[in-house]
Amino acid sequence: HREGQGSSLERLRLLSVRDVSTYLNVSEAFVYDLAKRGQIPCGKIGRIYRFEWSEIQAWWEMRKRGK
């Protein structure tokens, strides 16, 4: 494979609601609520919410700084 191609794939890590709630130290219900209201970056696979690790990190850093 080409130089650097694998590194972007390695950074693409999908998280579950449980993963995000643990990272943010909040309840799973709170994460679901944020996702349903479109207040946290996420996607859905069928009926299941998934979160990209790099997007959650960036979103959380912005939130900590006060947007």
Side-chain angles (χ1 to χ4, degrees):
H1 69 92
R2 289 193 312 231
E3 181 83 20
Q5 188 178 22
S7 62
S8 63
L9 292 176
E10 290 163 9
R11 284 193 299 261
L12 179 62
R13 180 174 158 211
L14 295 180
L15 306 176
S16 67
V17 169
R18 178 175 290 169
D19 295 331
V20 175
S21 70
T22 299
Y23 176 68
L24 300 178
N25 197 29
V26 298
S27 70
E28 290 181 33
F30 184 70
V31 175
Y32 276 115
D33 192 44
L34 290 174
K36 288 176 188 173
R37 291 188 281 145
Q39 295 182 333
I40 191 170
C42 66
K44 281 182 99 173
I45 300 173
R47 294 179 7 201
I48 300 170
Y49 286 103
R50 287 292 181 240
F51 307 83
E52 190 175 319
W53 173 241
S54 60
E55 289 182 0
I56 294 301
Q57 283 183 306
W59 174 84
W60 184 235
E61 287 304 314
M62 284 178 33
R63 296 273 301 197
K64 289 194 300 187
R65 288 189 213 126
K67 296 187 182 187

